[in-house]
Amino acid sequence: MKSFLLLFLLLISSVQGQSKILSDTPEVAVFPNPAVHFIDIQFEVDEEQSLNYKIYDLQGELRYSLSLTGVKGTNRQRIYLDQLNEGMYLLQVKGTAWIYTQKIFKLKGTERIDKADLLHTEISLQIRNLAQKSIEGSAKLAIYIKDSNPDSIRFDLLKLTVSAVKIDTVNLSFSQNDSQLTVLLPSGINQGDTLHFTIAYSGQPIADARWGGFFFNGNYAYNMGVGMASNPHSFGRCWFPCFDDFRERSTYSFHITTDSSWKAVCNGLKSPDSTHADGSTTWNWEIVQPIPAYLASVAVGKYEFVESIYTGLNGSIPILIAAEAKDTANVRKSFINLQAAMQCFESKFGPYPFDRIGFVAVPFNSGAMEHATNIAYPVYAIDGTLQFETLFAHELSHMWWGNQVTCRTEADMWLNEGWASYCESVFLECLYGESAYYQEIHQVQQDVNLNAPKRDKGWQPVSGIDSDITYGMHVYQKGALMVHNLRTLMGDEAFFTACKSYLNRYRFSDVSSEDLRHEFELHTTQNLLPFFQHWIYEKGQIDVDVVLVERVKSIIDSTYYNLYRIRENNRYKSGMTSDIPLTITLHLAKDSVRIINAWCYDGEGGFGFTDDLNYPLLYLTVNETEGFAFGKNTEKRKIGSTGSLSLSNVLLNLNVTQVNDTALLYIEHHWVPAPSLENLNQSGIRLSCDRYWTVRGILPETFTSMAFFNYDANPGIYLDEDFMRNLQTEDSLVLLFRPYGEKAWQVHTDHTFQPGVKTDKTGRFWVNKLRAGDYAFGIRDHTITGLNQDIESSQPALEVYPNPTGDRLWIKVKSGEIRQIEIISMDGRTLRIESSDGESTVNIATQNLLPGIYQIRVESDHGIYGARIVKL
């Protein structure tokens, strides 16, 4: 494949007289990440050279800098992070001719993780008379001491009252607030000791303000181990004293006493129960695999057990599903494919890691919870149908992704939830075939692009997510798409081999995204660092633009090729990705198709085909049915009658007024800046930095349809907000069009412009006749200058220095105060917007800009100014 690309690029070069020189960036390993005290950086270079290590905070302020001379071969450097606060930072490693950047996460050092290790937790509770909504009992915790001469130890316990704390039989002093229990330790405790605490407590456990916690509901009492509105999200502390952290694991045993006719179901395997003289029963369970506190579980109800056996890779495993008697028939119907799901996941990810497969029905109306071996599963999903089977598949897959291997921090929650969400598609693929898999992937892609920014307060990265949106669409659904893209990049054999190796290497431990990357790179020839940098660690979208270059005659065999250029087009990204595999579908006459595989390397690529097609080419598509999930939505419609159509996936409305022969529309809505191979700035027009449309398909001459392109720049809608942010009046808006297969944009004229009140930033362009091609919004802007134009005479009022610039840029207006600074690429794309508090001089970080020429647009209270800068 690469040899064909080289031939193609040679042909393109011979036609256009262009060349490109690439500078290799070494693969830089950064570990651990997240880190508490330090990070280690390692890479190899071919020659001795100057090296510079820098760490910036997310506001662009330099927080650490080190310069030294690197050696030929392997370079290792340890950077201590004690001077940094907890949070996300940007690491930059710079050599003589290369720059590498990566996000790093600094964790707050915790006394318990560093100084103590929780080995086993034994929970003994009375959960009786559910109307009182209270629990009473004790927790015994075995703790290994890693520090010398500790004076106290802290447990997490939320609004439950402690009456006594002991080590063995010795009473200890303690203090307590709403969320923590601090126990004073006696003297003489040494490093290496194992202490056995008994904590007696009682009270009414609480629910989280948003999702999770402990619930009493009719005949049920149960916990859901995550508190989405709580900090941290791990929520074991709502019902027992613990180290409530994703990293701290313990084995568990449970002794839950209930009234007669109630049963208690917990993690692990069931031991014989005990009936007491007052009619109560104590139910005993034990899980021998270590799990974090949020995966510990209890559910009390009038349960019956639906039991069976699964014979897997490691022998027989019991299945126990607990539900009320009235629901057991539906259990057998709704879980009919449970065994098939187990076979699927074992074949893809390796042996099931626990001793039991278990679900327990609870009256929770907001989803399920992946408690290890005892999944809390909503009663509404046990309805005797298969409509919720991807829900049980999602939770079951957590036994591998999340329970066996757990994210180290909530910022990396995609390692739990993104992978489990992706396993829904794997489950459908195993049961119903490849077409069902891609149907699910495409549906998720449509949903993410339309709704993720609205639900998650804008476009977000997959890894490094903020705490308040840990459980949002970027983690779950977009995380699933990124796993799909990783599989597509690596290929099935390498991908699933890497999955098994990763899960085995980090079995019953915590991980980061970097751990996953390093392990997966051991099983592929692909360099995964660019993929993780651009698809996982950075927010925004990636798509590709394909245009016909021309027909050229091969210098090898004189064959004529139809040559197409591919360009990556992205939004909010720091650069171009390294490798993107593409599937080009040529749609020919008589419903014939031809598939071409292509690649996009470092932002560019191409493909070609000869004229020996069986039928004429009607149109082509990129990744229509398979391949990478891009930042685009699609809609394919056959139209055989007149009338109005709402194409909600692509945010387009049609009014078909004439159709004699059936038309076929394939429309794409791209969530990236409108691409330009020509410089529109010379016409004073700035292309949309938010989105554009592509219309393809079969549009007969007798087909006539109006099309309504709506714009909306209101905050929180996430459609045209960045593009129209500084727009004073909508009179300067234009609709741009380029015919299908061509490069040059032109101002569209055959339409009716229908703004709102010209200042509300909503309205539409009513196109009289829809044609095949690309459509985008533009703004006439006199402050934008072209590559060959001089800066306007008014610009001495603005000073920009140093210019050329490196990592920082100073911007000064001679009078007035700066309100906003916009950085624009020379093809008219808005790359960044910086706000100012009203200073006349502003300093901004430019280290993430690629080398090249940029336009700076400065808005002050005295006017709008422009300047051109060169980034070295």
Side-chain angles (χ1 to χ4, degrees):
M1 180 56 64
K2 290 190 177 182
S3 61
F4 170 78
L5 178 69
L6 291 174
L7 170 61
F8 169 74
L9 292 179
L10 283 173
L11 291 170
I12 294 294
S13 179
S14 67
V15 172
Q16 299 189 344
Q18 297 177 350
S19 62
K20 185 176 182 181
I21 299 175
L22 299 178
S23 177
D24 290 333
T25 299
E27 180 180 354
V28 180
V30 181
F31 54 92
N33 189 20
V36 176
H37 299 298
F38 62 84
I39 55 173
D40 284 321
I41 304 168
Q42 180 175 313
F43 54 90
E44 293 187 2
V45 291
D46 296 332
E47 60 184 5
E48 180 180 304
Q49 57 187 275
S50 297
L51 298 175
N52 188 265
Y53 301 85
K54 294 182 178 180
I55 297 177
Y56 296 90
D57 61 26
L58 296 187
Q59 286 71 47
E61 293 298 323
L62 182 65
R63 303 296 299 275
Y64 176 91
S65 181
L66 172 67
S67 297
L68 49 81
T69 300
V71 300
K72 179 180 179 180
T74 302
N75 287 262
R76 298 183 180 91
Q77 182 63 43
R78 174 165 289 186
I79 296 178
Y80 287 91
L81 307 177
D82 294 331
Q83 75 277 20
L84 301 180
N85 296 323
E86 181 182 12
M88 189 71 70
Y89 295 86
L90 182 69
L91 167 70
Q92 181 189 86
V93 184
K94 185 176 182 181
T96 301
W98 55 271
I99 297 177
Y100 168 83
T101 60
Q102 179 181 318
K103 289 181 180 177
I104 60 172
F105 195 89
K106 168 66 164 62
L107 296 175
K108 182 180 180 181
T110 61
E111 172 191 340
R112 293 172 303 188
I113 298 298
D114 294 340
K115 298 183 178 182
D117 185 17
L118 179 58
L119 303 177
H120 182 74
T121 302
E122 182 178 357
I123 300 174
S124 301
L125 288 178
Q126 300 270 340
I127 305 181
R128 306 177 63 181
N129 190 4
L130 302 188
Q132 292 184 356
K133 300 183 178 182
S134 64
I135 61 176
E136 181 180 1
S138 66
K140 295 181 180 180
L141 303 103
I143 296 177
Y144 175 80
I145 301 300
K146 297 191 289 186
D147 193 28
S148 58
N149 300 317
D151 57 5
S152 64
I153 195 163
R154 176 175 55 83
F155 298 93
D156 296 312
L157 187 63
L158 187 62
K159 295 189 177 181
L160 295 171
T161 302
V162 173
S163 56
V165 180
K166 296 180 180 181
I167 290 181
D168 298 326
T169 59
V170 179
N171 286 304
L172 301 178
S173 298
F174 63 90
S175 61
Q176 187 181 12
N177 58 28
D178 275 353
S179 59
Q180 293 180 346
L181 167 70
T182 301
V183 178
L184 299 181
L185 299 178
S187 59
I189 294 176
N190 299 309
Q191 185 179 19
D193 288 346
T194 298
L195 307 181
H196 295 86
F197 292 83
T198 300
I199 301 173
Y201 66 100
S202 61
Q204 293 186 329
I206 67 171
D208 179 72
R210 176 181 166 196
W211 196 101
F214 204 99
F215 300 88
F216 291 88
N217 188 337
N219 288 330
Y220 296 88
Y222 61 96
N223 80 297
M224 305 291 280
V226 161
M228 290 188 180
S230 300
N231 185 19
H233 296 310
S234 178
F235 215 46
R237 63 189 181 278
C238 76
W239 68 288
F240 67 97
C242 57
F243 294 175
D244 217 358
D245 188 286
F246 288 121
R247 294 168 290 171
E248 185 62 59
R249 289 173 175 262
S250 165
T251 55
Y252 284 83
S253 54
F254 304 88
H255 314 288
I256 310 299
T257 300
T258 70
D259 290 329
S260 61
S261 76
W262 271 265
K263 295 178 181 178
V265 189
C266 300
N267 307 85
L269 295 175
K270 180 179 177 296
S271 300
D273 51 89
S274 302
T275 301
H276 309 292
D278 62 356
S280 65
T281 302
T282 298
W283 306 89
N284 304 297
W285 300 83
E286 183 172 15
I287 182 168
V288 298
Q289 293 83 17
I291 58 174
Y294 81 101
L295 295 177
S297 71
V298 63
V300 173
K302 294 190 173 183
Y303 290 123
E304 298 293 332
F305 296 153
V306 179
E307 300 183 71
S308 57
I309 297 292
Y310 169 75
T311 303
L313 295 179
N314 284 344
S316 297
I317 303 173
I319 300 174
L320 186 151
I321 303 176
E324 288 193 345
K326 63 182 178 60
D327 296 318
T328 55
N330 283 340
V331 165
R332 294 181 174 88
K333 295 175 183 177
S334 292
F335 285 88
I336 194 171
N337 287 324
L338 177 58
Q339 296 254 356
M342 282 294 303
Q343 292 171 357
C344 173
F345 294 149
E346 282 204 324
S347 70
K348 303 296 186 183
F349 309 129
Y352 184 73
F354 295 97
D355 292 335
R356 174 182 134 225
I357 303 161
F359 293 80
V360 58
V362 295
F364 190 71
N365 293 325
S366 299
M369 178 63 211
E370 67 271 17
H371 303 134
T373 73
N374 195 43
I375 296 165
Y377 199 71
V379 174
Y380 72 75
I382 306 174
D383 62 353
T385 75
L386 301 181
Q387 65 172 322
F388 296 105
E389 64 177 348
T390 55
L391 177 60
F392 86 65
H394 175 112
E395 302 304 330
L396 180 65
S397 74
H398 269 306
M399 301 304 119
W400 289 266
W401 303 96
N403 295 7
Q404 179 179 214
V405 177
T406 306
C407 64
R408 189 165 298 141
T409 71
E410 59 194 32
D412 257 342
M413 185 56 69
W414 82 285
L415 296 173
N416 292 20
E417 296 297 350
W419 280 81
S421 297
Y422 176 70
C423 287
E424 298 175 37
S425 301
V426 174
F427 166 78
L428 293 172
E429 181 182 21
C430 287
L431 265 68
Y432 304 112
E434 186 178 66
S435 61
Y437 169 87
Y438 277 107
Q439 182 178 352
E440 177 70 10
I441 291 295
H442 290 317
Q443 182 56 53
V444 173
Q445 180 182 358
Q446 305 276 58
D447 195 22
V448 165
N449 293 332
L450 281 171
N451 298 312
K454 299 176 186 176
R455 297 183 187 177
D456 292 349
K457 304 176 184 179
W459 298 105
Q460 305 292 339
V462 171
S463 172
I465 205 80
D466 289 339
S467 178
D468 60 341
I469 48 175
T470 298
Y471 296 94
M473 288 192 72
H474 283 87
V475 166
Y476 281 73
Q477 286 81 9
K478 190 171 184 181
L481 294 180
M482 296 306 98
V483 180
H484 162 76
N485 285 356
L486 180 61
R487 174 183 174 182
T488 303
L489 179 63
M490 294 179 63
D492 276 13
E493 182 177 357
F495 174 80
F496 286 113
T497 299
C499 287
K500 293 174 183 176
S501 180
Y502 163 82
L503 291 169
N504 184 63
R505 179 182 297 274
Y506 295 104
R507 181 177 172 86
F508 300 120
S509 62
D510 53 89
V511 292
S512 69
S513 292
E514 284 296 282
D515 293 327
L516 186 141
R517 178 177 74 84
H518 287 306
E519 182 62 32
F520 274 53
E521 281 188 327
L522 298 177
H523 304 278
T524 179
T525 58
Q526 296 282 348
N527 175 12
L528 298 182
L529 181 60
F531 175 87
F532 273 73
Q533 180 67 34
H534 296 291
W535 295 88
I536 306 298
Y537 298 140
E538 293 180 341
K539 69 178 181 179
Q541 295 286 19
I542 298 175
D543 200 2
V544 296
D545 176 48
V546 176
V547 294
L548 176 67
V549 177
E550 59 183 297
R551 283 167 47 82
V552 298
K553 187 177 182 180
S554 170
I555 60 177
I556 297 176
D557 59 8
S558 299
T559 301
Y560 278 93
Y561 282 84
N562 301 285
L563 297 184
Y564 285 76
R565 177 180 291 276
I566 303 167
R567 285 208 323 172
E568 178 185 333
N569 196 22
N570 60 49
R571 187 179 181 195
Y572 301 126
K573 303 295 182 180
S574 63
M576 300 298 179
T577 56
S578 178
D579 300 312
I580 301 178
L582 304 172
T583 301
I584 312 297
T585 303
L586 306 181
H587 288 267
L588 312 176
K590 297 189 177 181
D591 293 327
S592 179
V593 297
R594 179 174 171 181
I595 305 296
I596 296 175
N597 294 319
W599 285 79
C600 188
Y601 298 102
D602 298 314
E604 295 184 353
F607 64 93
F609 52 88
T610 60
D611 291 336
D612 61 347
L613 301 174
N614 294 329
Y615 303 103
L617 174 66
L618 301 177
Y619 67 100
L620 63 83
T621 60
V622 180
N623 290 9
E624 178 182 349
T625 57
E626 59 187 51
F628 264 39
F630 284 127
K632 68 177 180 181
N633 285 35
T634 62
E635 188 103 39
K636 191 173 185 178
R637 289 284 189 97
K638 283 187 176 181
I639 301 176
S641 60
T642 59
S644 298
L645 291 174
S646 176
L647 307 182
S648 57
N649 279 337
V650 292
L651 304 178
L652 193 63
N653 295 316
L654 302 181
N655 184 10
V656 180
T657 57
Q658 180 181 354
V659 54
N660 296 335
D661 300 320
T662 299
L664 174 66
L665 287 180
Y666 184 82
I667 301 177
E668 298 172 327
H669 181 284
H670 306 270
W671 298 90
V672 293
S676 176
L677 296 179
E678 283 197 352
N679 183 18
L680 272 175
N681 298 334
Q682 293 180 359
S683 301
I685 294 177
R686 178 154 52 97
L687 275 164
S688 172
C689 62
D690 291 320
R691 58 190 181 124
Y692 72 101
W693 289 264
T694 295
V695 177
R696 293 172 179 161
I698 305 171
L699 282 69
E701 286 296 325
T702 56
F703 174 76
T704 303
S705 177
M706 300 175 187
F708 301 88
F709 294 88
N710 300 286
Y711 61 86
D712 191 334
N714 284 293
I717 304 300
Y718 300 103
L719 290 178
D720 306 294
E721 185 175 351
D722 283 351
F723 171 57
M724 296 173 59
R725 190 178 303 276
N726 298 313
L727 191 67
Q728 301 300 317
T729 174
E730 293 164 39
D731 288 337
S732 58
L733 284 172
V734 294
L735 182 67
L736 300 169
F737 173 75
R738 63 178 186 180
Y740 171 63
E742 295 188 15
K743 297 175 286 186
W745 290 92
Q746 55 193 252
V747 176
H748 191 282
T749 57
D750 186 20
H751 66 257
T752 302
F753 180 39
Q754 296 179 310
V757 295
K758 296 188 178 182
T759 57
D760 66 354
K761 297 186 178 181
T762 60
R764 66 180 181 177
F765 288 88
W766 176 351
V767 173
N768 294 320
K769 182 175 174 61
L770 185 67
R771 299 167 56 197
D774 294 332
Y775 295 82
F777 298 129
I779 294 176
R780 296 190 184 276
D781 190 341
H782 73 278
T783 68
I784 303 297
T785 61
L787 286 169
N788 300 316
Q789 289 180 302
D790 295 328
I791 303 298
E792 296 180 12
S793 59
S794 62
Q795 296 314 304
L798 176 69
E799 293 183 38
V800 179
Y801 56 91
N803 191 12
T805 187
D807 291 343
R808 308 293 297 182
L809 184 69
W810 291 89
I811 299 171
K812 179 180 180 180
V813 292
K814 291 188 175 180
S815 61
E817 298 176 343
I818 295 174
R819 301 302 182 191
Q820 188 166 272
I821 300 166
E822 191 172 358
I823 301 177
I824 304 168
S825 67
M826 293 311 292
D827 62 357
R829 295 184 293 169
T830 298
L831 303 178
R832 204 163 85 212
I833 294 175
E834 300 273 355
S835 298
S836 170
D837 293 331
E839 302 291 335
S840 61
T841 302
V842 174
N843 176 237
I844 65 173
T846 54
Q847 75 271 11
N848 286 337
L849 292 178
L850 294 176
I853 302 173
Y854 298 88
Q855 188 77 25
I856 300 293
R857 185 178 189 272
V858 180
E859 179 182 344
S860 77
D861 54 357
H862 283 190
I864 298 176
Y865 310 105
R868 193 164 61 230
I869 65 166
V870 177
K871 171 64 168 63
L872 297 178

